[in-house]
Amino acid sequence: MPILDPADLSERETYFLMTSLVVPRPIAWVGTTSAAGVDNVAPHSYFNMISSDPPIVHFTSSGEKDTLVNVRATGVFTISVVSRPLLEAMNATAADVPPEVSEFDHVDVTAARAETVDAPYVAESPATFECRLRTILSMGTGHMVFGDVTRVRVDDRVWVDGRVDIAALDPVGRLSGSQYTMSETIIKRPRPTWQDLTEA
């Protein structure tokens, strides 16, 4: 069994090791607008929720990317959920598009304006968070962007009896390199109580 010391690895080797083991990762398809008024949408697979009360999410920009620059300038952003039908479009927005060009102009998705923040979101996405910047915490090569959720938009086709239908949401997860995963199998396991464990 290999035992690896990150100090012995290059930055690239460490990146592939970490992103191959911390899987699957949800994808934040982040919508922003630059100070010059150019809309941007780009995927970030270091993404999660921090709190539900109040609702706070975060994504991490690996390095100084357009998304990070725009959030710093405007203080707002959106996160659109990537479902299976949107995989190819999401992947296309990962290209190194110049900051003066909007990804929406070159990818087959529609830019819609958020209600509570001045930022675009992907209209075809089954769910979107509208966020106002809380803080940015930089560590190593990562810049963690924390946002207070000001609105959650959920499509009727995935909103069933007051809950999100995960099968209908059909989210895409990021693995390593160019690999992604789908929710082919959903397994339900109710959380046990201490009594359940001691009586088993």
Side-chain angles (χ1 to χ4, degrees), residues 127-150:
T128 301
F129 300 96
E130 299 182 9
C131 305
R132 193 170 302 281
L133 177 64
R134 173 176 282 254
T135 191
I136 298 174
L137 179 61
S138 297
M139 289 186 284
T141 58
H143 305 278
M144 298 179 68
V145 179
F146 295 83
D148 291 296
V149 177
T150 57

Side-chain angles (χ1 to χ4, degrees), residues 79-156:
I79 294 177
S80 295
V81 172
V82 179
S83 59
R84 187 190 306 249
L86 296 172
L87 172 60
E88 296 301 329
M90 177 278 298
N91 188 53
T93 63
D96 56 341
V97 178
E100 66 273 12
V101 177
S102 173
E103 288 83 355
F104 286 106
D105 294 338
H106 296 275
V107 178
D108 190 23
V109 291
T110 308
R113 300 309 294 183
E115 293 181 8
T116 61
V117 298
D118 187 14
Y121 67 91
V122 177
E124 291 82 1
S125 172
T128 301
F129 300 96
E130 299 182 9
C131 305
R132 193 170 302 281
L133 177 64
R134 173 176 282 254
T135 191
I136 298 174
L137 179 61
S138 297
M139 289 186 284
T141 58
H143 305 278
M144 298 179 68
V145 179
F146 295 83
D148 291 296
V149 177
T150 57
R151 186 79 85 246
V152 181
R153 181 185 310 276
V154 183
D155 193 279
D156 288 337

